[in-house]
Amino acid sequence: MQSERPFTEVASIAKASPIIRIVTLILAALSILMFAALARFLYQAETNAIHQSFAAEVAQQALSFEREVVLNLEILFALNASVSLVETMTPDRFDQLTDDVLARSPAIQAFAWAQIVTPETLVAFESRMKDWYPGYRVTERNANGEVVPVSLRPQYAPVQMIEPIESNQAALGFDLASEPRRLAALLQSMESGKMVATAGITLVQEPDNQRGFLVFTPQFLPPVNEREAIGNEPRVVFVNGVFRVGELVNQSVGSRLSQQMQLQVVDRTRGAQDVLYSMPPDPSEHWLTSQTVVHDLPDVAGRQWYFEVTPAASLYSQRRSYVPWLVFGSGTVVVVLLVIYVFVTQRQTQDLNAAKSELERISLTDSLTGLANRRHFDQHLEQQWALAARQHSALSLVMLDIDNFKPYNDEYGHPEGDAALEQVAKALRQVATRPLDLVARYGGEEFALILPDTEDPADIAEKCRRRIEALALRHEYSSVARVVTISAGVCTLKPSENHSLKELTEFADDALYQAKEEGRNRVVVYSAERGLNRG
């Protein structure tokens, strides 16, 4: 019997061999499936990380484009403010005001001055314009695109002056009200008194007929003479700019756009779908429309624009690593690769979050003074108003303005002016120190303090005034003192049916205006019961 044992063991081993092979094959198959699933998971995670990185790039591009648009709109706003200071506008004065701006702002094709004219004043208007431009007449385009005299309408908006006139001579006298899109923007601007943009237009004088848009800023002036007066109605004029969308893109993000990105700027105001700018797609690329990143831009003079970027498949493939394939092909290093990948992904996410936080900080901070900017101010004011409404508490707003700051800038120079703004900002920050208090640069030399549930906001405003005066910043050209001073307006309201957030800002601004009228370097308090009271 002992001689049979080896044969029994051999038989047992022989019987076990197929089972071991089957188990090995099963384990191998399961391992392959596990690594395949892991590789697929890693591949998708990598896709998400690449998309997050791409989305962060697009966010930066969208922010740059938004800033460029806002900057150019502010140029038009500033021009409109400058024009309002000119008692009588002439072509020569208009040329002087716009020439330097046009030379430094390639995104602006032209500036124009248009006036609302009625049928009753049309003849007198054309007669007066011929003194400047012989042969001037108010025109429109008929259905065939031919320039013809205007037909009878309730009102006209002919182009009175335009710069540069050399390339826009044909636009003189053209009735902006004859085109529906421009008429809609004109009426909206005239009704609201605000800057309003038109829908997209084709700039036929530009290469490839690139798209653009017009922005109208209204002014209400007294009549030039009795022939143009209708009752007591003011003369309505518009300073408008013609903007190139393609140049806005080139100036803001042109150098950062690769051929692997397809950018579109789309106007979707009131459900429209108007593509204002589109990069021509490379037909050799496969475009990942499912990965398109869309950013809505803040209000563009009454229009709602979207910044959309679609990546090419090659952009994703170039940013991919070999990690999933190494994991799939080599199980011995899967753990090491997975740990590295997790750390890399985590670091990428942290970097993206840090970049996002930095972008948000930059977008809410004034670069010169370090204070909250106008956008941050508006957001914080709305939040504190809502909080005061819930808590039935009061909210105080202090509007401050540096007295005679323009002469200061003119005489001492802008570097000294910037230094003065920084010192004023630092002093204001030292007065309003509570967690919910906010000091903001409202614009130019104007600042604002938001003071929730404050017992004596006028006292804080007076402390600000004294602290600024105590800085003893030399100002020999001030009409108030020989040092830099401020004027302040204060308003405190409780949210109710009788008081709105708009009234809070208007009353504070009225109080500031009253402080200036009374001689500056003082605090005026607006009381809902007593009106304006000097602090």
Side-chain angles (χ1 to χ4, degrees):
M1 294 294 297
Q2 292 178 356
S3 63
E4 293 179 358
R5 186 175 179 181
F7 293 101
T8 304
E9 292 178 355
V10 171
S12 299
I13 294 173
K15 289 181 180 179
S17 294
I19 297 176
I20 294 174
R21 286 195 294 268
I22 291 173
V23 171
T24 302
L25 289 173
I26 291 174
L27 291 176
L30 290 175
S31 298
I32 292 173
L33 290 175
M34 181 187 69
F35 285 119
L38 182 58
R40 179 177 176 82
F41 169 78
L42 294 175
Y43 183 90
Q44 186 59 47
E46 189 175 62
T47 299
N48 294 338
I50 293 171
H51 182 70
Q52 289 179 3
S53 176
F54 172 69
E57 293 177 22
V58 174
Q60 291 178 329
Q61 294 168 0
L63 181 60
S64 297
F65 179 72
E66 174 192 334
R67 288 175 175 169
E68 186 67 23
V69 172
V70 170
L71 174 63
N72 279 271
L73 291 180
E74 287 179 348
I75 289 174
L76 177 59
F77 184 83
L79 175 63
N80 188 51
S82 299
V83 166
S84 67
L85 301 176
V86 179
E87 183 176 351
T88 303
M89 182 57 64
T90 65
D92 289 340
R93 289 175 183 156
F94 195 67
D95 177 38
Q96 292 172 358
L97 287 171
T98 59
D99 183 60
D100 187 53
V101 176
L102 289 168
R104 292 184 289 105
S105 304
I108 304 176
Q109 184 193 50
F111 285 119
W113 171 289
Q115 176 178 333
I116 294 297
V117 179
T118 63
E120 294 80 7
T121 62
L122 180 61
V123 174
F125 172 78
E126 286 185 330
S127 176
R128 185 166 61 86
M129 288 303 300
K130 287 177 181 178
D131 294 339
W132 289 341
Y133 304 108
Y136 180 94
R137 61 174 183 167
V138 180
T139 61
E140 63 181 20
R141 291 187 181 275
N142 61 19
N144 298 324
E146 300 169 337
V147 178
V148 297
V150 289
S151 55
L152 181 62
R153 278 193 297 277
Q155 57 187 7
Y156 311 97
V159 175
Q160 195 171 357
M161 288 169 276
I162 190 167
E163 291 295 336
I165 194 169
E166 295 79 9
S167 56
N168 296 280
Q169 184 77 35
L172 278 175
F174 178 73
D175 178 20
L176 299 175
S178 65
E179 199 277 318
R181 291 185 176 186
R182 301 179 189 184
L183 176 60
L186 281 167
L187 294 176
Q188 184 181 350
S189 178
M190 187 164 56
E191 181 179 350
S192 66
K194 298 180 180 179
M195 181 182 296
V196 175
T198 68
I201 60 174
T202 300
L203 304 176
V204 296
Q205 296 176 340
E206 294 296 311
D208 302 321
N209 290 341
Q210 73 162 288
R211 303 300 304 282
F213 63 102
L214 276 70
V215 179
F216 297 101
T217 55
Q219 290 193 22
F220 302 91
L221 307 177
V224 173
N225 52 53
E226 294 182 357
R227 292 183 301 170
E228 295 194 3
I230 300 179
N232 295 319
E233 292 295 322
R235 181 167 55 105
V236 183
V237 300
F238 295 90
V239 177
N240 62 284
V242 183
F243 296 85
R244 307 176 178 98
V245 180
E247 198 59 43
L248 289 171
V249 173
N250 291 335
Q251 292 294 314
S252 56
V253 299
S255 61
R256 285 179 281 168
L257 287 173
S258 72
Q259 294 300 314
Q260 295 171 314
M261 298 181 184
Q262 184 183 3
L263 166 65
Q264 282 192 332
V265 179
V266 185
D267 184 350
R268 293 199 177 97
T269 306
R270 291 182 288 277
Q273 183 69 21
D274 188 9
V275 179
L276 302 175
Y277 176 85
S278 179
M279 288 180 61
D282 186 345
S284 63
E285 291 280 6
H286 173 62
W287 297 97
L288 304 178
T289 54
S290 62
Q291 303 297 324
T292 298
V293 176
V294 180
H295 281 269
D296 60 320
L297 303 178
D299 178 72
V300 181
R303 310 295 299 182
Q304 182 59 63
W305 286 9
Y306 290 83
F307 189 91
E308 304 178 355
V309 181
T310 301
S314 60
L315 183 145
Y316 273 52
S317 62
Q318 288 180 5
R319 299 185 181 187
R320 291 195 183 281
S321 69
Y322 295 102
V323 173
W325 311 113
L326 291 174
V327 170
F328 181 74
S330 179
T332 57
V333 294
V334 65
V335 175
V336 176
L337 290 176
L338 183 58
V339 170
I340 293 175
Y341 181 79
V342 168
F343 276 90
V344 169
T345 303
Q346 184 181 25
R347 181 58 182 271
Q348 289 177 342
T349 303
Q350 290 174 346
D351 290 344
L352 289 175
N353 289 336
K356 181 180 178 182
S357 298
E358 180 64 14
L359 285 174
E360 292 176 350
R361 185 193 68 79
I362 292 173
S363 68
L364 296 176
T365 304
D366 177 63
S367 60
L368 174 63
T369 63
L371 298 179
N373 63 11
R374 178 64 181 274
R375 177 184 294 180
H376 192 180
F377 167 84
D378 290 339
Q379 293 176 356
H380 192 74
L381 185 61
E382 290 180 2
Q383 292 170 357
Q384 294 308 309
W385 183 262
L387 181 62
R390 291 195 299 270
Q391 297 179 347
H392 305 288
S393 60
L395 181 64
S396 299
L397 177 62
V398 181
M399 303 293 288
L400 309 100
D401 194 82
I402 300 177
D403 297 326
N404 302 124
F405 191 70
K406 185 179 185 303
Y408 189 98
N409 257 339
D410 292 343
E411 300 298 332
Y412 297 114
H414 287 283
E416 286 294 324
D418 289 347
L421 288 172
E422 291 179 43
Q423 293 190 58
V424 169
K426 182 178 179 181
L428 295 177
R429 194 185 292 113
Q430 292 171 349
V431 176
T433 58
R434 296 183 305 170
L436 292 181
D437 291 347
L438 182 75
V439 183
R441 185 181 181 188
Y442 195 76
E445 67 273 18
E446 192 169 359
F447 298 84
L449 276 66
I450 299 174
L451 305 172
D453 198 17
T454 301
E455 183 175 350
D456 192 355
D459 181 62
I460 293 178
E462 179 60 19
K463 287 180 180 178
C464 291
R465 188 196 66 78
R466 292 198 300 267
R467 188 175 287 266
I468 300 306
E469 193 171 35
L471 292 175
L473 298 176
R474 182 171 58 94
H475 190 356
E476 298 176 356
Y477 304 94
S478 172
S479 62
V480 182
R482 286 296 172 261
V483 295
V484 170
T485 60
I486 62 170
S487 300
V490 184
C491 180
T492 301
L493 292 179
K494 282 188 177 181
S496 66
E497 293 180 357
N498 298 324
H499 297 300
S500 66
L501 178 57
K502 181 180 179 182
E503 288 178 325
L504 177 65
T505 57
E506 288 178 348
F507 293 162
D509 198 61
D510 289 345
L512 173 60
Y513 178 80
Q514 186 67 25
K516 294 179 181 180
E517 287 292 304
E518 292 179 3
R520 305 179 186 269
N521 192 22
R522 66 196 63 219
V523 176
V524 171
V525 181
Y526 183 94
S527 169
E529 294 76 24
R530 292 172 295 176
L532 292 170
N533 296 289
R534 181 142 181 257

